Amino acid sequence: MSRTSPEAVFVLAQAAMERGDWETFFACLDRSDLKPLASMGIPVGEDPGGAYSNVCLEHGVPVEALQRVRACAEAIQDSAQRMMSESVGAVSGAAPPEDLLQQSLRHRDLVKALDRAIAACLGFVTDLAAFTAKAERLKRATMGGGSVSSSLFVGESLVDVRVEGKKATGIRRMQNGWSEPIAFVQRRDQWSIKFLPKRR
């Protein structure tokens, strides 16, 4: 089924979720909303057996890019420990508050560097939906849960769809009577779901 309308892509994503087809489900999401989910597949902390690293390597992420992520993560951990020590020093009067401020600014820059390193890794991935799907299965197998609910869209209906150019909005009507807004965007004649739309 093609994604020629907001209704079509919603039905496609819904059917994919019902049968556990993560590749198709993630392919229905807009790339701007898929990236945060995909970033969870980049190993930042411990990676037992190198499982997440292997997924990254299979999808074109070079070893050097993964090493950069790990280096940034380790620098953040060291920075956090220094901040804790300097906080204690500032309270006791052993360290001036200015030192704590400077360390806080350095820590902020390290976090930004980690974000850039993760984004660089994702830049090497040609099929972001397939990568996210494989990482999702790995998370569920090793952690017992994933990045999205496995019942998302299941049993729901899409109502009140309003299209304005290349953007659209609608309402997800759930079986329990609750409703949630949802948004769509059209790129290259194909509609995608804005997974986390701004509430109206």
Side-chain angles (χ1 to χ4, degrees):
M1 183 183 294
S2 62
R3 296 184 281 124
T4 54
S5 69
E7 293 88 348
V9 70
F10 183 82
V11 169
L12 185 62
Q14 187 179 57
M17 183 63 82
E18 289 174 348
R19 64 177 183 270
D21 181 355
W22 291 108
E23 285 81 5
T24 299
F25 174 79
F26 285 124
C28 291
L29 303 185
D30 184 60
R31 187 176 179 84
S32 64
D33 290 318
L34 183 57
K35 283 183 177 180
L37 300 176
S39 68
M40 298 180 190
I42 305 297
V44 174
E46 294 184 4
D47 183 19
Y52 286 92
S53 295
N54 288 336
V55 171
C56 292
L57 295 173
E58 290 171 8
H59 285 267
V61 181
V63 173
E64 295 78 12
L66 293 176
Q67 291 174 338
R68 175 59 180 164
V69 169
R70 293 194 188 95
C72 289
E74 290 172 359
I76 288 174
Q77 187 174 21
D78 292 342
S79 174
Q81 292 175 346
R82 285 196 298 272
M83 287 181 65
M84 290 181 62
S85 298
E86 292 185 6
S87 294
V88 173
V91 171
S92 65
E98 292 79 7
D99 289 353
L100 182 59
L101 174 60
Q102 290 302 315
Q103 180 58 37
S104 177
L105 294 174
R106 286 193 292 270
H107 188 83
R108 178 200 61 187
D109 291 340
L110 289 173
V111 172
K112 290 181 178 180
L114 176 60
D115 290 341
R116 290 194 297 270
I118 292 174
C121 286
L122 295 180
F124 290 103
V125 178
T126 55
D127 191 338
L128 203 60
F131 169 78
T132 309
K134 194 154 191 178
E136 180 74 14
R137 288 195 176 92
L138 180 58
K139 282 196 288 285
R140 291 178 177 276
T142 58
M143 301 173 61
S147 57
V148 297
S149 170
S150 59
S151 62
L152 184 66
F153 301 157
V154 175
E156 298 181 6
S157 57
L158 178 65
V159 299
D160 194 22
V161 176
R162 301 179 182 180
V163 179
E164 296 182 4
K166 294 183 178 297
K167 295 182 179 180
T169 59
I171 299 295
R172 292 166 49 202
R173 187 75 44 82
M174 305 173 198
Q175 290 179 320
N176 59 10
W178 291 1
S179 297
E180 288 285 343
I182 187 170
F184 304 86
V185 63
Q186 186 185 41
R187 304 182 193 279
R188 298 179 181 177
D189 297 325
Q190 295 289 297
W191 286 91
S192 298
I193 296 171
K194 293 288 290 183
F195 184 60
L196 297 174
K198 294 181 180 179
R199 292 183 179 274
R200 294 178 294 182

